[in-house]
Amino acid sequence: MGGGNLYSAGMGALVAYFAFIFMNGNPTQHVEKLFKMMRQGMAGKESVAAFDKVYTSVDGNTQHNAYDGDVARSFYNLATEFYEYGWGDSFHFGTRARSEPHSKCIANSQHFVANKLRVDNFDKVLDMGCGIGGPLRGVVRATGANVTGVSINEHQIARAREITAGLSPWMQERCHFQVQDYLQIKGMEEGSYDAAFYMESSLHCEDRTKTFKEAFRLLKPGGRLVAMEYYLLPGWQPDNAEHKELMRRHLYGNGAARTPSIEEGLAQIRAAGFIVKEHFDLMAELEKVYGEDAWPWWADLQFNWAPDLLPAHPWIRKPLPYLLSVLSKLGLVPKDVPAAAELMNEGGDGLSGLGKVGAITPQYYVLGIKPE
């Protein structure tokens, strides 16, 4: 067997081993995305240095100085394949029982959104900030709705279409994706959609009223908005040095804008024209459902003795930038990959740390109705 064949066989065996070990928690993880980045670098030839020029430094829960869309576009060139490697195709959190796999918490949140949308076969729905389409496909499977997802990031839309192309004709007929800035959507018919949802996606804009106004404009009278929002909780202490540092790391490491309080967030939705009919912290409610067996939304990113999602566990993700850095110095990995891995750790540590101290939720549910 030639050297090239040996290398290919060895890499194939390594990928298979990592897949077996790492993908027990979520079958939509793609461990090979890590190896792709190690070969080719970041999507769009993005770099953390370029991201840092867009995202200026933040102290505590303060707002960066760039256009929110520019930050999101740059950030997801860095984050998308790391998320798919370490988390799966649905870039959001959830709560489950300790004994259940990570995929269960993803399903819990998607089923909740699908139920609250109150849509049926071929009803028109918008997914505002769709990522690579995981939640969109979940809603389609649950409802049969005709869903159009928008993302400002071209790589994400290309990947969403690639995944969907491998599904059944029934799914392909109902799943659609467009490159759009959800702060200023173009080319869509006003007043033509039955419902819209945000699955943790509005965290990238400071004045969320701007994107909610876009959803309002596109919805029919009586249309439903289901928003799963990042909001501050009563545990947030703005003058606490630890909280401020965790928030800085979260905002920077997730390309996020300033996080509003519950009151501020609800006011932004109302300012867009919606009547708020219902709202509560879904993560807290699911913890009540599961009781003592609840596995909190932030727990997979913190140290624990029973990791279900191994790439997200500190045992794996903490050493990864150092390993990649060594390989980069040897000329085996593009230099931007280790820095991007460290950026992901910044976001993971900051956000999960805030969750652990009760300072933030990623899924505060809000139901808004466009008046008839």
Side-chain angles (χ1 to χ4, degrees):
M1 182 181 288
N5 289 336
L6 280 172
Y7 177 81
S8 297
M11 285 300 293
L14 188 62
V15 170
Y17 172 75
F18 272 77
F20 175 76
I21 295 297
F22 282 9
M23 293 173 63
N24 289 331
N26 191 333
T28 69
Q29 287 173 254
H30 283 270
V31 174
E32 74 275 9
K33 293 296 180 180
L34 176 60
F35 295 96
K36 178 187 174 186
M37 289 183 285
M38 291 170 66
R39 292 193 314 270
Q40 301 178 10
M42 310 313 301
K45 304 301 179 185
E46 192 68 71
S47 68
V48 173
F51 173 71
D52 285 344
K53 290 179 181 178
V54 176
Y55 192 103
T56 52
S57 59
V58 167
D59 178 27
N61 190 29
T62 55
Q63 174 65 10
H64 61 76
N65 295 322
Y67 175 63
D68 291 321
D70 291 338
V71 171
R73 185 186 295 107
S74 176
F75 175 76
Y76 281 112
N77 280 336
L78 298 169
T80 296
E81 290 187 330
F82 270 109
Y83 285 0
E84 199 173 355
Y85 145 71
W87 202 258
D89 70 353
S90 296
F91 303 165
H92 64 82
F93 291 93
T95 298
R96 66 182 193 272
R98 186 179 302 270
S99 58
E100 293 174 331
H102 177 259
S103 55
K104 178 62 176 177
C105 74
I106 298 297
N108 282 341
S109 292
Q110 291 180 11
H111 291 164
F112 177 86
V113 169
N115 180 58
K116 292 297 183 179
L117 287 170
R118 298 288 193 271
V119 291
D120 207 341
N121 196 37
F122 279 112
D123 284 348
K124 293 180 65 178
V125 178
L126 282 168
D127 178 353
M128 301 287 276
C130 66
I132 63 173
L136 183 153
R137 290 184 289 271
V139 167
V140 170
R141 289 188 186 100
T143 66
N146 189 348
V147 187
T148 298
V150 302
S151 170
I152 199 169
N153 184 275
E154 293 183 4
H155 171 69
Q156 287 195 327
I157 294 300
R159 180 61 178 143
R161 289 170 175 163
E162 179 185 21
I163 295 171
T164 304
L167 302 179
S168 68
W170 189 92
M171 286 291 292
Q172 293 181 43
E173 191 176 12
R174 292 164 172 80
C175 299
H176 313 280
F177 303 95
Q178 293 187 21
V179 178
Q180 292 267 14
D181 180 351
Y182 68 12
L183 296 173
Q184 43 186 346
I185 289 179
K186 300 175 181 178
M188 291 186 174
E189 183 182 355
E190 294 190 10
S192 63
Y193 288 85
D194 299 288
F197 69 94
Y198 293 76
M199 182 63 93
E200 301 186 13
S201 54
S202 70
L203 81 159
H204 297 293
C205 50
E206 180 184 26
D207 183 3
R208 300 181 186 182
T209 298
K210 291 180 180 178
T211 183
F212 295 140
K213 281 184 175 179
E214 290 297 279
F216 187 90
R217 178 174 64 84
L218 295 169
L219 285 172
K220 297 175 182 177
R224 298 168 73 88
L225 170 75
V226 176
M228 310 304 288
E229 295 293 289
Y230 275 81
Y231 286 163
L232 297 175
L233 295 177
W236 166 247
Q237 300 172 23
D239 296 323
N240 181 302
E242 178 189 4
H243 287 207
K244 289 177 66 176
E245 176 59 9
L246 287 170
M247 180 63 78
R248 183 199 65 78
R249 297 180 74 186
H250 156 53
L251 296 183
Y252 171 62
N254 290 301
R258 175 185 174 274
T259 306
S261 67
I262 294 171
E263 294 75 17
E264 289 172 328
L266 295 176
Q268 289 173 332
I269 292 176
R270 292 187 176 108
F274 290 100
I275 299 170
V276 174
K277 288 290 190 179
E278 188 177 31
H279 64 91
F280 55 81
D281 181 5
L282 178 61
M283 299 296 88
E285 290 301 308
L286 286 176
E287 287 192 30
K288 293 177 185 176
V289 170
Y290 284 112
E292 293 183 358
D293 196 35
W295 188 252
W297 63 267
W298 46 265
D300 284 315
L301 289 167
Q302 290 280 314
F303 178 82
N304 63 83
W305 287 107
D308 178 71
L309 198 66
L310 204 53
H313 194 281
W315 283 339
I316 300 299
R317 64 179 179 83
K318 289 284 195 178
L320 183 60
Y322 299 100
L323 173 61
L324 293 171
S325 181
V326 171
L327 294 175
S328 178
K329 289 175 182 177
L330 294 173
L332 300 175
V333 171
K335 61 182 178 62
D336 296 320
V337 178
E342 184 56 40
L343 180 68
M344 299 303 102
N345 279 340
E346 284 283 289
D349 288 341
L351 180 54
S352 62
L354 289 169
K356 189 174 182 178
V357 299
I360 199 169
T361 177
Q363 286 188 20
Y364 193 94
Y365 155 67
V366 185
L367 173 64
I369 304 293
K370 181 174 179 175
E372 297 278 0

